[in-house]
Amino acid sequence: MNLTHAILAALLYIVAAPVLAGLLAGVDRIISARMQARIGPPLLQPFYDLFKLFQKERIAVNKTGHFFLLGYLLFTIIAGVEFFIGGDLLIVIFALALGSVFFVLGAFAAGSPYSHIGAERELIQLMASEPMLILSAMGFYVATGSFQVHDIWSRPDLLIVILPGMFAGLVYVLTIKLRKSPFDLATSHHAHQEIVKGITTEFSGPYLAVIELAHWYETILLLGFLYLFFAPWPWLAVLALAAVYFLEILADNTNARLYWQWVLRSSWIFTAVAGAGNLVVLYYLSRGGTP
Amino acid sequence: MANRTVIPFGPQHPVLPEPIHLDLVIEDEHVVEAIPSFGFIHRGLEKLAEKRDFTEFTFVAERICGICSYIHGMGYCQAIESVMGLEIPERAKWLRTMWAELSRMHSHMMWLGLLGDAFGFENLFMAFWRVREGLLDIIEETSGGRVIFGAAKVGGIRRDVPDDLLARIPAQLAKIEAEMRPITDVFRDDFSVRQRLCGVGVLSQKDAYDLGAVGPVLRGSGVAVDTRLEGYAAYDRVQVEPIVESDGDCWARAMVRIREVYQSFEILKQVLPNVPAGPVDMKVTGAPNGEFFARLEQPRGEVIYYVKGSGKKQLDRFRVRTPTFANIPPLLKMLQGCQLADVPVIVLTIDPCISCAER
Amino acid sequence: MNAPVQRYVEVQPDALLEAVRAQQLTGSRLVQICCTKLAGFELTYSFARAGAFDHVRVQIPDNTVKVPSISPIYSCSFAYENEIHDLFGLSFLGLNIDYKGTFYKTTIPAPMVGTPVCGAPAPKDKGAHGE
């Protein structure tokens, strides 16, 4: 991939990702509403919400928090750009984690106990989801011999065939990342939770919009991750992603919120069984193939 | 040793339906102690009784609570009628029973929805509230109001219900019951719901009784006390069995309420065909002279009305002890040692109605 | 109607605890405590068990007289007794949980304003705290 292409891809991601993710959020809200026998908001409602948040008054509990939030947005975008220009998968994963850590620090900067507990839970969720992300990078490496996203997506064979466990593990972790029930511990999509809005409690107006925006960039990046499994067959990939997203909405609407202990335990077990299991099988196969 | 944090919980908290304030002393996410405080919506309703005509006060009594409104009005009237020695017409007794059961059902269904919301199951919330609309429609058809429907009055009821309407209700109820089955099955069987409710906020049978718990909290802990058995209104002629669960946890309390909704369907099946013909009210002359403690079963538990009059139009003293007030000491017991995530669920399982409790 | 006949037992303030303990021994639960302001104060303690609904009644001449708390016998009585203290001005002796007049009022007039919670920086305006 040459430089022009890279710059174009980066720009495309920066501009198109929020639009796509916003539309996806709109579809999400409509489907959720239909599952609850409601009509739901218009498709463009997430954008209306975002623009309204940007217009609101800036009230700060602690200004340091806002600086950290910009870090969250910046590193999430960096992770996304690195991914979509075909860069190094490990850099993508660690930049993403760094962004989340900035978010947590932002919440810790405010004095509210709700925000603190939300931040602690977010850290726990990171602990629950990161192992699977890193394992999947290893999976891609073992399967393709490269950490470069570019090399992975230009492979002619379907990776889902040899990495089904990795895919399942990532889908599981996606539920945590998308903040869907049963894993919406740190903050949920509405405030009827014991810690109000948890990690986002002390942010308001434009800063809340920044969080939403960063979350949208993150969503597209994670869906991009899943796309890699189907890269040679784009139509199959779109279908698979739609099915995965629908499953997430379904899980959100058929589950209560669970405890953090349960989330941590279940995601580690799932990671160990699906992710590590897949890796072991893959090693065994590659040894057998090329002794 | 984890350091202790005090979390101010309420009075304005999205998960709390009503303003109660709890200072939660927590260690990590463990609640060590919960200290409640009240007084955010004290309205002085008991004092108001000394300024209002005793018949007029029925309307105030109905507004003690927004959800169990009808039984408050009915209980007040019952207390006054006992003081004055009035024997109200049979038809009024049966219709009072019907409305009392309808309000119990809509209150329980509202609560089940709220509980779903408290543990993050929005779909359950929507489902229960949607089905509940059907009950409110029946209440509206029969009384003209939906939640605070002002049907009670001293000496009977305020308006008669036509017989053809009464004959239509069973079919409507059967439809609602059919809609409800699949939703309550989720409560019973769903894995994540059981994770959040089973073994949470356990109140032993002894504690429940000693701490003065009432209603579903008491019955959820295995004590068979139901004031309806005392046979006020027409309850002496319908079959009522106290619904008892033995576990004493949040799940048991939810199950008691679910089973009570189905029990109410059964009670209504006995009530509706048997409403006798005749007048629905009687002339009330004079003023109450004497005192009486009336006991009724609210959706939230046993409620006490005390009236004391001395032959004047205004009462000397009116007191109501609402079920929420009696359930506060058991609530504090349940909250000790729970997880922070359980606090809203446990608080909800006493079905708190703080505006009732403070009056 | 199969509601039990309500019995009233009139006792002197110093015999209150004895009467309440007698109720506890029969296995009754505390239903409510009601205070009525007449010339003095009339306290009615109601107890219920299967087939019985009894009231123990005590007259308190004025609010300088301290009423023995029944919380050593029925620990849940603290809610009623604190409420009566706040609304009628009666004081109780030996309460297990004594809110000291803050059951209905908050302890400080405007709580949660500028109180450092969980290590938050204290408000800069030192003057407001009256040091």
Side-chain angles (χ1 to χ4, degrees):
Chain A
M1 187 177 256
N2 60 34
L3 191 64
T4 343
H5 273 140
I7 292 174
L8 271 179
L11 281 178
L12 193 66
Y13 170 72
I14 292 172
V15 176
V19 177
L20 262 178
L23 286 174
L24 197 59
V27 173
D28 180 341
R29 284 166 72 166
I30 291 175
I31 294 178
S32 291
R34 295 297 152 89
M35 283 179 179
Q36 299 168 5
R38 293 184 286 123
I39 289 178
L43 179 65
L44 297 182
Q45 190 63 42
F47 295 105
Y48 303 151
D49 292 350
L50 192 77
F51 293 142
K52 186 163 187 188
L53 282 176
F54 271 121
Q55 287 164 12
K56 289 200 166 196
E57 196 185 351
R58 286 158 191 258
I59 301 173
V61 179
N62 186 340
K63 291 217 171 71
T64 331
H66 300 153
F67 168 75
F68 286 127
L69 278 194
L70 291 179
Y72 173 40
L73 181 63
L74 193 68
F75 278 99
T76 313
I77 294 179
I78 288 175
V81 166
E82 179 71 19
F83 183 88
F84 284 97
I85 62 171
D88 194 321
L89 210 50
L90 288 175
I91 293 185
V92 174
I93 290 168
F94 288 112
L96 194 63
L98 190 57
S100 302
V101 169
F102 267 111
F103 186 22
V104 169
L105 285 176
F108 268 125
S112 148
Y114 291 118
S115 152
H116 274 210
I117 292 173
E120 282 165 7
R121 288 185 179 180
E122 179 72 15
L123 280 176
I124 289 166
Q125 292 195 351
L126 275 178
M127 272 159 58
S129 59
E130 285 305 308
M132 189 60 230
L133 286 174
I134 296 167
L135 259 182
S136 71
M138 288 163 69
F140 281 126
Y141 179 79
V142 174
T144 66
S146 168
F147 277 124
Q148 298 294 315
V149 177
H150 179 73
D151 296 340
I152 299 170
W153 86 42
S154 46
R155 298 231 348 154
D157 49 341
L158 265 183
L159 286 175
I160 181 77
V161 178
I162 47 173
L163 294 172
M166 292 291 173
F167 182 74
L170 277 180
V171 169
Y172 197 83
V173 162
L174 188 67
T175 322
I176 299 177
K177 287 285 185 190
L178 290 181
R179 311 197 182 291
K180 298 275 188 200
S181 281
F183 301 146
D184 49 351
L185 295 172
T187 178
S188 59
H189 287 284
H190 69 144
H192 283 203
Q193 194 187 359
E194 63 278 5
I195 50 171
V196 195
K197 279 282 270 178
I199 190 165
T200 60
T201 308
E202 297 300 329
F203 297 110
S204 65
Y207 303 104
L208 211 49
V210 166
I211 295 175
E212 191 65 23
L213 207 55
H215 182 61
W216 287 359
Y217 277 114
E218 197 181 350
T219 307
I220 292 298
L221 168 57
L222 289 167
L223 290 178
F225 238 92
L226 294 180
Y227 182 91
L228 288 183
F229 288 92
F230 303 94
W233 293 11
W235 284 111
L236 180 65
V238 171
L239 272 180
L241 291 191
V244 164
Y245 207 85
F246 182 79
L247 266 181
E248 298 290 351
I249 300 173
L250 192 65
D252 193 27
N253 278 294
T254 50
N255 276 295
R257 184 182 305 114
L258 289 169
Y259 303 103
W260 65 262
Q261 293 93 329
W262 197 90
V263 171
L264 196 61
R265 208 181 312 137
S266 76
S267 56
W268 277 4
I269 291 174
F270 205 86
T271 303
V273 174
N278 199 165
L279 206 59
V280 168
V281 172
L282 209 58
Y283 258 120
Y284 182 75
L285 286 181
S286 62
R287 283 275 171 82
T290 50
Chain B
M1 182 71 203
N3 58 338
R4 291 191 172 187
T5 310
V6 178
I7 294 198
F9 201 80
Q12 296 298 324
H13 191 293
V15 85
L16 288 176
E18 307 225 7
I20 180 175
H21 176 81
L22 293 168
D23 276 323
L24 298 175
V25 182
I26 65 161
E27 256 174 29
D28 290 334
E29 290 212 14
H30 251 74
V31 177
V32 182
E33 202 182 359
I35 305 153
S37 45
F38 308 88
F40 299 97
I41 36 169
H42 180 67
R43 292 164 291 168
L45 289 185
E46 291 182 351
K47 189 73 183 162
L48 194 59
E50 295 161 27
K51 299 213 172 89
R52 295 274 176 226
D53 186 296
F54 73 93
T55 49
E56 211 180 23
F57 192 74
T58 314
F59 300 117
V60 181
E62 275 175 342
R63 279 151 186 80
I64 290 174
C65 175
I67 294 301
C68 38
S69 155
Y70 178 71
I71 304 184
H72 275 302
M74 173 178 163
Y76 170 77
C77 293
Q78 224 169 276
I80 294 281
E81 284 151 11
S82 302
V83 173
M84 298 177 75
L86 302 174
E87 187 61 37
I88 64 164
E90 277 298 299
R91 188 175 174 83
K93 282 188 180 174
W94 285 85
L95 288 177
R96 276 186 182 183
T97 313
M98 174 189 83
W99 277 318
E101 285 312 309
L102 283 173
S103 30
R104 182 180 327 280
M105 285 153 80
H106 95 71
S107 171
H108 278 352
M109 293 185 62
M110 184 201 77
W111 176 85
L112 287 164
L114 283 179
L115 185 69
D117 190 50
F119 53 66
F121 204 142
E122 292 82 22
N123 210 349
L124 268 185
F125 169 76
M126 293 291 170
F128 272 116
W129 282 49
R130 190 174 59 248
V131 177
R132 173 175 173 259
E133 284 300 303
L135 287 171
L136 296 185
D137 289 342
I138 296 178
I139 294 177
E140 186 175 6
E141 273 182 272
T142 50
S143 71
R146 284 176 80 80
V147 178
I148 300 187
F149 46 89
K153 81 170 189 185
V154 177
I157 55 173
R158 282 171 56 77
R159 67 170 82 190
D160 198 2
V161 182
D163 280 327
D164 59 325
L165 182 54
L166 285 181
R168 272 209 313 273
I169 295 175
Q172 278 168 284
L173 284 175
K175 195 165 150 272
I176 294 170
E177 193 175 350
E179 280 175 18
M180 235 190 100
R181 291 276 170 197
I183 313 174
T184 50
D185 283 349
V186 173
F187 243 100
R188 252 180 246 266
D189 304 330
D190 187 84
F191 167 76
S192 61
V193 173
R194 292 192 71 128
Q195 282 280 318
R196 290 305 305 269
L197 295 182
C198 289
V200 172
V202 178
L203 188 68
S204 70
Q205 187 177 16
K206 184 173 183 309
D207 280 342
Y209 194 80
D210 289 351
L211 292 172
V214 294
V217 179
L218 188 57
R219 291 193 285 276
S221 292
V223 184
V225 171
D226 190 327
T227 323
R228 283 180 292 178
L229 295 178
E230 300 208 334
Y232 58 87
Y235 283 111
D236 48 349
R237 278 151 291 169
V238 294
Q239 208 184 347
V240 187
E241 280 291 317
I243 305 275
V244 180
E245 293 275 337
S246 55
D247 295 345
D249 55 2
C250 290
W251 199 73
R253 293 188 276 278
M255 280 306 117
V256 166
R257 289 186 175 98
I258 287 175
R259 288 171 57 199
E260 281 187 5
V261 175
Y262 289 123
Q263 183 191 38
S264 294
F265 281 116
E266 294 307 313
I267 293 176
L268 283 174
K269 276 176 202 160
Q270 300 172 51
V271 169
L272 289 167
N274 291 325
V275 178
V280 290
D281 61 349
M282 59 191 294
K283 202 167 161 50
V284 179
T285 48
N289 190 359
E291 60 178 344
F292 190 74
F293 279 96
R295 279 205 293 176
L296 282 87
E297 189 72 16
Q298 281 273 29
R300 290 163 178 76
E302 173 199 64
V303 64
I304 308 285
Y305 299 89
Y306 172 65
V307 293
K308 184 184 178 72
S310 52
K312 291 191 307 244
K313 280 286 181 195
Q314 289 83 16
L315 294 173
D316 281 352
R317 173 84 167 119
F318 164 69
R319 165 164 167 80
V320 44
R321 196 280 279 136
T322 53
T324 304
F325 196 89
N327 278 333
I328 296 280
L331 171 66
L332 301 184
K333 178 85 189 167
M334 289 179 226
L335 281 176
Q336 280 169 13
C338 75
Q339 285 206 51
L340 179 63
D342 294 329
V343 172
V345 177
I346 294 176
V347 171
L348 266 171
T349 51
I350 71 158
D351 202 353
C353 180
I354 305 300
S355 51
C356 282
E358 289 183 16
R359 309 167 299 281
Chain C
M1 291 279 273
N2 35 11
V5 180
Q6 302 186 15
R7 292 190 306 133
Y8 291 85
V9 185
E10 193 82 40
V11 296
Q12 291 302 313
D14 46 352
L16 174 67
L17 289 182
E18 219 171 286
V20 171
R21 200 173 298 277
Q23 286 293 338
Q24 195 206 22
L25 289 178
T26 60
S28 299
R29 69 197 158 91
L30 177 68
V31 169
Q32 66 99 34
I33 304 175
C34 170
C35 179
T36 307
K37 192 165 191 281
L38 303 166
F41 297 92
E42 180 185 82
L43 287 177
T44 312
Y45 298 75
S46 306
F47 301 91
R49 58 181 182 275
F53 189 27
D54 298 340
H55 309 285
V56 172
R57 182 160 272 178
V58 55
Q59 306 289 341
I60 308 294
D62 58 74
N63 59 12
T64 55
V65 180
K66 296 221 169 194
V67 188
S69 164
I70 64 163
S71 58
I73 307 168
Y74 286 99
S75 64
C76 60
S77 76
F78 78 89
Y80 302 103
E81 287 170 344
N82 276 300
E83 189 196 38
I84 290 169
H85 173 268
D86 282 19
L87 299 182
F88 292 87
L90 283 178
S91 17
F92 289 86
L93 264 183
L95 253 176
N96 57 353
I97 303 175
D98 194 349
Y99 277 76
K100 300 194 167 54
T102 59
F103 192 67
Y104 271 1
K105 276 189 219 149
T106 44
T107 344
I108 16 179
M112 288 162 254
V113 178
T115 35
V117 180
C118 193
K124 279 180 187 142
D125 185 12
K126 289 260 164 51
H129 285 260
E131 283 282 339

